Amino acid sequence: MKKYVLFFLISTSIVSCDVRRKDKVADGMASMAEMAAMDSTTVQIIDTAYNFGTATEGEKVSYNFRFKNSGDKPLIVTNAHASCGCTVPEKPEKPVMPGETSFIKVVFNSQGKVGHNEKTITVISNANPAFPPLVLRGDITAKK
């Protein structure tokens, strides 16, 4: 019985210690970072914050945060996410060419969010320096 347990432990440790796979993953991440650095561009943020004032609970507030590709390579927005599930950002699907202006559309659902609200949107792209956090803020009053 001891031989079987020892054989099982040795087999499990050999199979789980695949160093080659980890090296490939690390190399892949490094090359992706290098490619992003080589293809980086600059961005001019036109709108970094928007105060929508006061809205009634249940209203959907939307805003377009504008930006311009001020570099000489296409700007690729790979991800945009908000600090709360009640806020949904929509990124441009196509690359933003040099000199073009585009936007990140943000929709905030105020249902159940009575009081002061401040939502942060994080944008991931090939811009260097990176996008600053985008902020949507305002006050929600209860339904009457």
Side-chain angles (χ1 to χ4, degrees):
M1 181 69 176
K2 289 182 183 179
K3 291 180 185 178
Y4 292 117
V5 172
L6 183 60
F7 176 76
F8 177 75
L9 290 174
I10 292 173
S11 299
T12 304
S13 65
I14 290 172
V15 171
S16 65
C17 293
D18 186 4
V19 176
R20 293 172 292 153
R21 183 181 180 281
K22 291 178 184 175
D23 290 344
K24 287 181 183 177
V25 171
D27 289 343
M29 293 302 285
S31 65
M32 286 176 59
E34 289 171 7
M35 286 175 43
M38 289 185 339
D39 289 339
S40 66
T41 188
T42 55
V43 65
Q44 175 189 0
I45 309 299
I46 299 168
D47 306 306
T48 58
Y50 176 65
N51 186 336
F52 60 82
T54 303
T56 305
E57 180 183 12
E59 285 184 43
K60 290 187 178 180
V61 177
S62 66
Y63 187 72
N64 293 332
F65 287 95
R66 299 171 296 158
F67 61 90
K68 179 179 181 178
N69 181 350
S70 57
D72 57 0
K73 296 186 178 160
L75 174 67
I76 301 167
V77 178
T78 55
N79 194 5
H81 60 275
S83 59
C84 174
C86 60
T87 307
V88 180
E90 294 177 22
K91 66 178 185 68
E93 292 302 318
K94 295 180 181 177
V96 181
M97 301 313 284
E100 287 184 355
T101 300
S102 190
F103 59 89
I104 305 284
K105 181 180 180 180
V106 177
V107 179
F108 167 62
N109 184 353
S110 65
Q111 185 64 41
K113 303 291 181 189
V114 175
H116 181 75
N117 283 271
E118 190 163 305
K119 307 301 175 190
T120 303
I121 295 87
T122 303
V123 179
I124 308 298
S125 73
N126 65 331
N128 189 14
F131 269 76
L134 307 176
V135 180
L136 181 71
R137 66 175 63 99
D139 297 306
I140 305 299
T141 57
K143 280 185 181 177
K144 294 182 183 181

